[in-house]
Amino acid sequence: MRGRERATPPHLRAENLPPPDPTIDLDDAGDTPILREYRAAKAEHPDALVLARLGDFYELFGADAELAAPILEVTLTGRGFGSAGRLPMCGVPHQAVATHLRRLLDAGHRVVLWDQVGEVVAGRLVRREVTRVLSPGTAVDADLLEPTRVARLVALAETAGQVGVAALDLAGGELVVMEVAGGLGSVALRDELERLDVAELLVGDPASVPPALLLTAVRTALPVPLFDGRRAAERLASATGAASLLGLGLEEMPVGVRAAGAVLGYCERARVSLEPGLLRVVPRQSGDLMRLDPPTRRNLELLEPLGSGPSLAQLLDRTRTPMGARLLRRRLQEPLTDPDPIGARLEAVAALVADRPRRGELRRRLGSVHDLERLVGRVTQSLATPRDLGAIREACAALPAVARLLEDLPGELTGLAGTAVPPVEVEADLRATFVDDPPPSSREGGFIRPGADPELDRLHSSAAEARDFIAGLEGQERERTGIRSLKVGYNRVFGYYIEVPHAHREAVPPDYLRKQTLVGAERYITPRLKEQESVVLSARERAVARELELLGEAVRRVTAHGPALLGCAAAGATADVAQALATVADDEGWVRPTVDRSTVTDIEAGRHPLVERSLGRGAFVANDTSLDVAHRIVVLTGPNMAGKSTYLRQVALITLLAQVGSFVPARRARLGVCDRIFTRVGAQDDLSAGLSTFMVEMAETAAILRQATARSLLVLDEIGRGTSTYDGLSIAQALVEHLHDSPQLNCRTLFATHYHELTALAERLPRVVNARVEVVEEGETITFLHRIRPGGADRSYGIQVARLAGLPAGLLARAREVLGEMESRRPLEADREAPAQLDLGLPAPAAHPVLDELAELDLDGLTPREALSKLAELQERAGR
Ligand code: ADP
Ligand code: MG
């Protein structure tokens, strides 16, 4: 027996099979009518979780339930289906479905609502239909979206290396179309997608898209026919009402058009209705916008802070409406490269900086404009609640005042006063139709204004009359019958009844029909009572139904004004961004930069907006920057903690802010537009690192060298630091030389390094200048002045910094001793003496390894105890 057991693979042994699974899958789960229908719905949407409305709950069955239960944090139960077993099941109350949908979408799932659409009649199966197909990119409900973020549905099509990108913001009705050269694996495409806030990526073949692209977006594979070019043109025409691609500006973008067709086709399949005329197609030429790659976005803390302070987006966001916040965020993602539109934005900001009272009033009024963009979006998707319509009404009431405040403002606000005025009918209509403070849900009714609809009024008044009748019935009947203890009551089974104690049975009139006998009394009904009762009960139901009908009609009327209202929303959002930027500029003391086509970066008294924020007013030391044709590369030296990284980022941030159309933290700034900003931070300095290695650092540097142009701004912070001193120094030097000498580069570059040896380069390379961060040395201590000065640092002050950081005195003393020995053995200053043919003066690393290790010690990362044991170790290895 044992021998045989061993010979048979364990999984084939019948006696070892697990007990039969107590749960069964959907296909075997028996054949009740509801299951049959559910199966059909599921078969239509195999890749989605199907939520079936059963009474007050949305239920999931089978594998869907098993998948969803942990995400929704609800208990997985089961329901018996005959002898076959139990079908796993879980459910959520219908009132709370939005929160649960959001969780499923956030987890990257597609969700189908299989809803009750027919009347509920006891004993009959309610008609159910798929009413919504939701995916992260197609959700438009208020509850499913973050107010300040756009969630775009993006399709990619590719032909011969040309990638068409179509990005649909469904809630705002905007479709951005562009083409990017270089294939699906190109960095250009990655950078474009990075700024689009992609919630869902639609592709024909998911395997063709690099796995690392947009990790947070859900990927959906679409059948190839959806990418068909001719169908795409038709779909675009019907969605926009435009007669031709020419009218949309898409005639030169065949691949982009195919991608657009795929997005629209996907929406059709997801039962998202796109009202003709409400979709704005925005063709975009690559090169219109400054490119920012992921490490640069991260380093500049564009949207997410690296530390505990605010991100740039948070610092700037003084908007008053969610749509303004979204527009601002979008602009931060898409700095411009053409000085003219940048100037137009700055002009508008300047006007609002100058006119504080007007700005204050504008801010106040904008508060009532709400998220008009998404409100209109929900209206056109027929998802608007009564409260949404109330909000639109309030927005329409506030907009004329906003428009007046925008009158004769310059720059990009020119002419917006005209578009900001909503059609007068809308507010009047909504005011006449809806009560003052409409409820968030339409379920219970009560949102239509009395007097708005004669039929509804009739229903209300007949219900009221019937209620009055029933209320008066008791007294009436007591009088008629003379039975003083007669009562009118209500229960759920029989409805209204008249109750008479047995003692008075004889006095009951003949029109009373006996319904129920109790211990001490008899209950009766009368035809008249039943008639009134049904009036009350059905009037309520019919009133709600009528209110829903009226809501639908109002939604259709507002939809007809959709394009005008979206125009108002766009004007409101633009004004909101302008006032937000003006408010920051005023509050933080920023100035209007001059942005031109030069390749000059000339900043007087610039500041780092985020560090300044965290240090508090006045504590930040402002610094100048001057890069021009003759001075392209600044080599910035200075000890750790002196302020090198801060200075570098400040220049990048000022450049970025200017091209976004914002004022900048400086006393004065003239900036030639940059086509790209690259920032790279050497491995050990990268706060967000984790997987930062020297390899990553070098790969990123290589990427810069391939992509940078003479118009780029390079911010290189301690590049070469992630390896040993000598390697690092050599690489850093070669890099500066390369940037200086390559004619197609020669771009504005700030290079921070703690290798003071690099300062020698300035003597040899004409367009390299040295700068250093000033420190004051007093005996053993140094004080950081954070002031940038011309010239290079002559030493690195490592030991002084170590002292500041609190390393034990004994260790420091020993370090000085080691340093002394090393310097006497090998003067590091050899480069000074032979500037013509630069020799870094670095002999083969004969130096004591202890010194290297000391130099590379991460002081911030050591506890005093660790420092002590490190000291002991170093001492031992130093040969003591
Ligand atoms: P480095 O890169 O030279 O090591 P950092 O730029 O990281 O130095 O700056 C270290 C700290 O010094 C910052 O966190 C900030 O608190 C302070 N600091 C930097 N620059 C300034 C400045 N211009 N004014 C005031 N404080 C500054
Ligand atoms: Mg630094």
Side-chain angles (χ1 to χ4, degrees):
M1 188 63 191
R2 290 206 151 262
R4 243 188 72 205
E5 251 181 43
R6 230 174 272 127
T8 319
H11 65 275
L12 293 182
R13 266 180 285 137
E15 64 269 31
N16 273 11
L17 282 180
D21 193 333
T23 61
I24 46 173
D25 66 19
L26 194 57
D27 294 333
D28 299 331
D31 206 29
T32 65
I34 179 126
L35 267 185
R36 217 176 305 142
E37 287 187 12
Y38 178 82
R39 239 180 245 133
K42 180 75 194 162
E44 253 188 81
H45 302 275
D47 57 346
L49 299 171
V50 176
L51 268 65
R53 176 75 183 265
L54 302 182
D56 283 341
F57 278 78
Y58 280 100
E59 306 278 4
L60 294 111
F61 296 108
D64 283 7
E66 289 173 329
L67 198 65
I71 300 172
L72 300 177
E73 291 168 8
V74 296
T75 336
L76 185 67
T77 59
R79 180 169 150 183
F81 283 91
S83 58
R86 280 153 53 85
L87 188 61
M89 184 172 154
C90 68
V92 296
H94 75 98
Q95 300 94 332
V97 73
T99 345
H100 290 98
L101 285 176
R102 171 99 190 236
R103 282 194 181 184
L104 293 173
L105 292 174
D106 285 350
H109 292 288
R110 208 173 308 286
V111 184
V112 161
L113 287 187
W114 189 49
D115 232 322
Q116 296 174 180
V117 293
E119 230 178 301
V120 183
V121 179
R124 197 142 38 85
L125 204 56
V126 194
R127 202 159 64 79
R128 291 189 176 78
E129 258 177 27
V130 169
T131 52
R132 302 288 305 283
V133 182
L134 291 162
S135 60
T138 57
V140 271
D141 313 41
D143 303 337
L144 302 182
L145 290 171
E146 257 178 69
T148 57
R149 273 198 67 169
V150 183
R152 289 197 180 85
L153 180 63
V154 174
L156 301 180
E158 193 199 2
T159 308
Q162 192 76 356
V163 179
V165 181
L168 176 64
D169 164 20
L170 203 47
E174 186 190 75
L175 178 65
V176 173
V177 183
M178 70 184 117
E179 289 189 357
V180 182
L184 290 165
S186 76
V187 276
L189 179 64
R190 178 201 62 191
D191 292 351
E192 285 301 345
L193 292 179
E194 202 66 45
R195 63 164 130 241
L196 280 172
D197 279 325
V198 183
E200 186 175 358
L201 196 62
L202 309 173
V203 284
D205 172 15
S208 65
V209 181
L213 199 66
L214 296 175
L215 288 175
T216 52
V218 172
R219 289 170 183 221
T220 304
L222 291 191
V224 174
L226 273 184
F227 288 90
D228 177 67
R230 232 197 37 231
R231 269 305 274 136
E234 288 164 18
R235 285 203 169 99
L236 273 166
S238 82
T240 58
S244 74
L245 294 178
L246 193 72
L248 296 172
L250 296 178
E251 71 284 4
E252 310 260 277
M253 293 194 198
V255 197
V257 166
R258 284 178 43 220
V263 168
L264 298 179
Y266 180 72
C267 286
E268 259 168 49
R269 290 204 327 177
R271 302 206 182 16
V272 173
S273 58
L274 288 162
E275 285 292 319
L278 283 177
L279 187 71
R280 277 163 295 136
V281 172
V282 182
R284 178 182 293 164
Q285 285 343 358
S286 56
D288 287 355
L289 304 176
M290 180 198 275
R291 268 176 66 189
L292 295 162
D293 54 17
T296 303
R297 286 158 193 283
R298 213 171 47 231
N299 289 332
L300 296 183
E301 305 177 78
L302 220 56
L303 304 177
E304 304 294 333
L306 289 173
S308 55
S311 67
L312 189 61
Q314 285 162 339
L315 179 75
L316 290 180
D317 191 357
R318 315 282 165 100
T319 58
R320 300 280 290 143
T321 65
M323 55 185 186
R326 289 195 301 277
L327 181 62
L328 179 63
R329 187 185 154 103
R330 209 154 80 195
R331 288 192 175 180
L332 263 183
Q333 304 254 60
E334 306 175 342
L336 304 176
T337 51
D338 181 344
D340 296 338
I342 294 172
R345 289 183 183 180
L346 289 170
E347 188 81 26
V349 175
L352 287 169
V353 168
D355 192 344
R356 203 176 278 176
R358 191 198 295 228
R359 192 173 78 232
E361 185 61 12
L362 185 59
R363 285 177 59 77
R364 202 170 68 74
R365 299 286 184 175
L366 279 170
S368 308
V369 177
H370 306 293
D371 199 346
L372 187 57
E373 184 186 58
R374 285 196 174 164
L375 288 165
V376 173
R378 290 204 289 280
V379 163
T380 59
Q381 295 295 320
S382 303
L383 293 170
T385 65
R387 181 158 294 172
D388 286 343
L389 289 157
I392 292 180
R393 177 176 66 197
E394 208 175 305
C396 289
L399 279 164
V402 170
R404 265 194 307 283
L405 290 162
L406 294 179
E407 259 163 37
D408 56 69
L409 281 178
E412 69 162 344
L413 298 178
T414 310
L416 278 194
T419 37
V421 183
V424 278
E425 309 86 289
V426 180
E427 192 207 339
D429 178 356
L430 294 176
R431 190 159 301 287
T433 310
F434 293 93
V435 297
D436 283 342
D437 192 7
S441 152
S442 54
R443 266 196 312 272
E444 310 286 321
F447 48 84
I448 298 291
R449 190 180 287 283
D453 178 59
E455 188 185 331
L456 183 65
D457 290 345
R458 238 184 341 267
L459 285 169
H460 282 318
S461 71
S462 62
E465 273 167 30
R467 260 195 311 274
D468 286 350
F469 167 81
I470 293 170
L473 189 65
E474 200 172 85
Q476 218 176 356
E477 291 300 300
R478 278 182 188 172
E479 200 160 304
R480 173 155 84 104
T481 60
I483 308 171
R484 303 210 54 82
S485 50
L486 176 147
K487 281 191 297 192
V488 171
Y490 178 84
N491 83 17
R492 289 175 66 87
V493 183
F494 301 117
Y496 288 101
Y497 55 78
I498 301 168
E499 192 176 292
V500 179
H502 291 314
H504 301 284
R505 198 182 297 169
E506 300 311 312
V508 165
D511 60 332
Y512 278 27
L513 304 172
R514 198 146 53 87
K515 199 70 197 166
Q516 191 188 14
T517 307
L518 306 179
V519 179
E522 205 75 52
R523 286 179 177 174
Y524 303 90
I525 56 169
T526 68
R528 176 103 170 97
L529 176 58
K530 283 296 125 177
E531 182 192 299
Q532 294 302 309
E533 173 191 296
S534 75
V535 170
V536 174
L537 296 183
S538 78
R540 203 189 123 69
E541 203 170 299
R542 279 162 55 209
V544 171
R546 179 62 188 154
E547 290 205 33
L548 284 176
E549 233 171 79
L550 293 168
L551 174 66
E553 283 169 18
V555 161
R556 273 189 293 283
R557 291 194 302 274
V558 175
T559 302
H561 292 292
L565 290 173
L566 280 180
C568 296
T574 309
D576 198 10
V577 169
Q579 73 72 19
L581 292 177
T583 305
V584 197
D586 200 10
D587 290 356
E588 310 280 323
W590 294 2
V591 299
R592 176 177 178 176
T594 308
V595 180
D596 58 28
R597 292 192 169 76
S598 71
T599 59
V600 167
T601 294
D602 187 9
I603 301 167
E604 191 182 311
R607 283 122 56 205
H608 188 302
L610 302 173
V611 176
E612 178 177 44
R613 206 30 161 21
S614 71
L615 291 180
R617 258 295 157 82
F620 193 88
V621 181
N623 279 301
D624 301 344
T625 307
S626 177
L627 291 161
D628 55 29
V629 196
H631 307 96
R632 301 304 276 169
I633 302 176
V634 173
V635 172
L636 176 64
T637 43
N640 277 322
M641 290 305 287
K644 300 184 296 299
S645 301
T646 306
Y647 176 71
L648 258 55
R649 289 186 171 126
Q650 135 190 343
V651 176
L653 281 168
I654 288 174
T655 306
L656 179 104
L657 281 171
Q659 292 189 226
V660 162
S662 164
F663 278 26
V664 297
R667 192 182 306 135
R668 189 186 58 78
R670 176 185 168 208
L671 303 157
V673 283
C674 294
D675 61 351
R676 313 194 43 159
I677 297 177
F678 290 98
T679 72
R680 287 301 183 277
V681 179
Q684 294 177 32
D685 222 22
D686 190 344
L687 300 170
S688 64
L691 53 114
S692 219
T693 64
F694 180 61
M695 187 61 203
V696 171
E697 184 186 328
M698 287 298 106
E700 288 187 346
T701 308
I704 297 183
L705 297 180
R706 275 196 306 274
Q707 298 167 53
T709 74
R711 275 224 161 269
S712 307
L713 174 66
L714 263 57
V715 166
L716 304 174
D717 193 354
E718 309 255 12
I719 289 297
R721 185 179 180 169
T723 182
S724 77
T725 310
Y726 297 104
D727 283 357
L729 187 45
S730 330
I731 289 169
Q733 181 186 336
L735 185 57
V736 174
E737 286 172 355
H738 182 79
L739 290 169
H740 182 271
D741 295 340
S742 308
Q744 77 275 23
L745 288 171
N746 190 26
C747 46
R748 283 166 280 179
T749 304
L750 298 170
F751 193 108
T753 179
H754 66 279
Y755 299 132
H756 57 266
E757 293 86 351
L758 284 185
T759 55
L761 285 170
E763 295 169 40
R764 191 160 60 89
L765 307 174
R767 290 181 299 280
V768 171
V769 288
N770 285 329
R772 64 194 162 87
V773 199
E774 206 173 9
V775 291
V776 174
E777 195 179 7
E778 273 172 47
E780 290 289 284
T781 61
I782 54 168
T783 310
F784 299 118
L785 298 181
H786 305 302
R787 204 174 293 140
I788 312 291
R789 291 269 175 237
D794 49 357
R795 28 186 301 234
S796 51
Y797 303 95
I799 294 175
Q800 285 87 337
V801 176
R803 184 188 145 91
L804 275 187
L807 270 196
L811 189 152
L812 295 169
R814 173 58 189 150
R816 257 189 308 277
E817 226 175 280
V818 177
L819 184 63
E821 277 170 32
M822 313 231 38
E823 280 178 348
S824 62
R825 228 184 287 154
R826 174 189 58 80
L828 258 171
E829 312 302 319
D831 45 334
R832 305 245 148 151
E833 281 135 40
Q837 184 38 270
L838 185 91
D839 164 13
L840 280 173
L842 301 172
H848 201 289
V850 165
L851 184 64
D852 256 1
E853 201 164 318
L854 192 59
E856 294 190 351
L857 216 58
D858 176 15
L859 297 177
D860 298 337
L862 286 182
T863 64
R865 183 187 293 273
E866 284 165 349
L868 250 172
S869 71
K870 193 79 200 164
L871 172 67
E873 184 203 320
L874 291 177
Q875 193 169 56
E876 188 178 324
R877 294 189 23 218
R880 286 254 162 153

